[in-house]
């Protein structure tokens, strides 16, 4: 946070992007390469047939970090790829991106409701996405201690689900306009919860913590850190969902329920960031609707993706190697 050095690196990445466009290099969103679709036969389990699109920069770190970026409802892997500068920044920093594509053709929302997706190794869309992570770890010598997920809207909801169901896989998450893990829990695959969306599902931190821990009851290891963002004028997923995410993750991460520090006008002039500890930050974006814009430099900083070599933010390798 407030890391001038890494912010400069992000600006450098955007500058490189401008140069790429000016010099006529084929580019979709400024990223130098295109997405590659990985055939379903190459990875498993993938019980709901989630589509697997991969972004691999031409120059990778020696042990590249992995950034998963699930799209929003009515979106696609390609939309998420072109929707932010994160793939362009992957060219600069040498991390690999996974863009899963929802198999649900009805609304292209992620399954964040089924018991399967909300259960560790229980199936659902979340398990297919984790199989993609395992594919990249195996095929690209990627770093199992630096696996991240970020997304907006349904992609933020899936980020909450991935961190809750697979705390042994992820090192951190960044969720923009999402809802707490388990808030959409319902009877079946990809069920829309109007109660959660409109902010009428309200629980205590202890209740949310119990829901997250029930996803993987035997797990006692490291919990990924999380940052969440929400607009105060969001009428798709009401702002109460920010308060529920705060209660949930501060409880799971063992943090105080009130902030230890407040940053006014950060990272945007009308936004307020509440710091509950090193492992959880929440940003209330005044006046912002559901169409909240990703601030790539904040995401890069949170995941420490500008870092190479030793001393980068990472999770302990132990949990990845010894839990299944
Ligand atoms: C990316 O795809 C576009 C459209 O198919 C193509 O024109 C371009 O050459 C591709 N770029 C690379 C680097 O493969
Ligand atoms: C969810 O699935 C798990 C594992 O399959 C099972 O133990 C649990 O009872 C299920 N919960 C519900 C609410 O169906
Ligand atoms: C976000 O800001 C709004 C408007 O000031 C306020 O009503 C709401 O309680 C804030 N939410 C949180 C979680 O601080
Ligand atoms: C993104 O966040 C950085 C702080 O890391 C801030 O300096 C910058 O102004 C923000 N960008 C936008 C568009 O809000």
């Amino acid at each position: 946070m407030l890391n001038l050095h890494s912010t400069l690196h992000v600006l450098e990445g955007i500058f490189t992007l401008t140069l790429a466009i000016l010099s006529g290099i084929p580019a979709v969103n400024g990223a130098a390469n295109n997405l590659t679709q990985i055939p379903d036969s190459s990875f498993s389990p993938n019980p709901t047939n989630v589509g697997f699109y991969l972004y691999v920069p031409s120059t990778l770190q020696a042990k590249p970090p992995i950034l998963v970026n699930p799209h929003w409802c009515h979106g696609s892997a390609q939309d998420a790829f072109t929707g932010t500068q994160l793939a362009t920044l992957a060219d600069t920093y040498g991390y690999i991106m996974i863009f899963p594509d929802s198999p649900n053709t009805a609304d292209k929302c992620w399954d964040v409701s089924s018991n399967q997706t909300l259960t560790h190794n229980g199936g659902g869309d979340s398990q297919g996405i984790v199989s993609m992570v395992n594919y990249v770890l195996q095929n690209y010598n990627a770093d199992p201690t630096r696996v991240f997920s970020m997304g907006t809207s349904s992609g933020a909801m899936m980020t909450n689900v991935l961190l809750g169901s697979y705390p042994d896989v992820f090192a951190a998450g960044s969720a923009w306009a999402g809802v707490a893990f388990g808030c959409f829990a319902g009877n079946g695959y990809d069920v829309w919860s109007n109660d959660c969306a409109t902010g009428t599902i309200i629980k205590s931190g202890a209740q949310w913590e119990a829901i997250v821990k029930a996803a993987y009851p035997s797990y006692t290891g490291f919990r990924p850190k999380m940052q969440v963002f929400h607009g105060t004028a969001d009428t798709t997923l009401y702002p109460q969902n920010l308060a529920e995410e705060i209660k949930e993750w501060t409880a799971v991460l063992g943090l105080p329920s009130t902030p230890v520090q407040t940053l006014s006008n950060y990272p945007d002039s009308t936004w307020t960031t509440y710091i509950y500890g090193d492992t959880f930050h929440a940003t209330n974006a005044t006046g912002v609707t559901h169409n909240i814009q990703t601030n790539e430099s904040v995401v890069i900083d949170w995941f420490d993706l500008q870092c190479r070599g030793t001393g980068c933010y990472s999770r302990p390798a132990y949990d990845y190697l010894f839990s299944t």
Side-chain angles (χ1 to χ4, degrees):
M1 163 203 13
L2 296 176
N3 184 333
L4 183 60
H5 184 245
S6 56
T7 303
L8 288 175
H9 272 285
V10 171
L11 291 174
E12 183 189 34
I14 291 167
F15 185 58
T16 309
L17 145 74
T18 312
L19 286 181
I21 291 168
L22 291 177
S23 49
I25 297 167
V28 185
N29 61 342
N33 300 328
N34 287 328
L35 291 182
T36 307
Q37 184 172 11
I38 307 298
D40 199 51
S41 55
S42 301
F43 68 106
S44 71
N46 184 23
T48 59
N49 295 314
V50 179
F52 182 5
Y53 293 83
L54 194 59
Y55 185 75
V56 183
S58 301
T59 308
L60 287 172
Q61 292 196 26
K63 263 186 106 54
I66 300 173
L67 176 52
V68 179
N69 185 184
H71 57 73
W72 45 90
C73 288
H74 307 289
S76 65
Q78 185 69 29
D79 291 339
F81 173 56
T82 54
T84 74
Q85 295 304 321
L86 289 168
T88 311
L89 292 165
D91 291 335
T92 304
Y93 299 126
Y95 56 85
I96 293 176
M97 290 189 75
I98 293 171
F99 292 95
D101 197 84
S102 165
N104 180 11
T105 50
D107 61 8
K108 293 291 279 184
C109 294
W110 292 105
D111 169 29
V112 292
S113 62
S114 74
N115 185 37
Q116 286 81 3
T117 206
L118 297 172
T119 302
H120 181 75
N121 288 344
D125 291 357
S126 64
Q127 192 174 29
I129 294 172
V130 167
S131 294
M132 298 173 197
V133 170
N134 289 329
Y135 172 94
V136 175
L137 290 172
Q138 283 155 20
N139 288 278
Y140 290 90
N141 187 36
D143 189 344
T145 71
R146 298 180 74 196
V147 179
F148 306 104
S149 179
M150 80 77 58
T152 300
S153 189
S154 190
M157 293 156 76
M158 179 48 88
T159 293
N160 275 273
V161 167
L162 289 168
L163 264 62
S165 291
Y166 296 90
D168 55 333
V169 170
F170 291 89
S174 179
W176 297 67
V179 305
F181 175 97
C183 192
F184 260 55
N187 188 19
Y189 179 81
D190 188 26
V191 175
W192 183 262
S193 169
N194 214 43
D195 289 343
C196 179
T198 57
T200 62
I201 294 190
I202 295 177
K203 297 184 191 294
S204 68
Q207 288 171 324
W208 283 123
E209 180 182 4
I211 288 169
V212 171
K213 295 207 166 156
Y216 192 179
S218 64
Y219 185 75
T220 56
F222 170 92
R223 289 275 168 182
K225 69 176 188 176
M226 179 66 132
Q227 64 172 187
V228 296
F229 301 81
H230 216 105
T232 61
D234 191 329
T235 53
T236 304
L237 299 173
Y238 283 35
Q240 182 64 33
N241 286 300
L242 176 62
E244 301 310 308
E245 287 177 306
I246 291 170
K247 284 184 279 180
E248 177 168 272
W249 295 113
T250 54
V252 169
L253 292 161
L255 297 173
S257 57
T258 52
V260 294
Q261 196 187 348
T262 299
L263 301 177
S264 300
N265 310 316
Y266 184 84
D268 199 303
S269 58
T270 61
W271 298 15
T272 306
T273 295
Y274 299 100
I275 296 175
Y276 293 81
D278 289 345
T279 53
F280 185 76
H281 295 182
T283 300
N284 203 5
T286 306
V288 172
T289 65
H290 193 57
N291 186 27
I292 190 167
Q293 297 304 299
T294 305
N295 182 321
E296 287 87 347
S297 81
V298 172
V299 175
I300 295 282
D301 274 3
W302 183 244
F303 296 151
D304 205 17
L305 285 169
Q306 73 286 359
C307 179
R308 286 171 191 265
T310 55
C312 304
Y313 172 77
S314 61
R315 59 170 296 133
Y318 178 85
D319 296 311
Y320 169 75
L321 291 171
F322 293 98
S323 67
T324 48

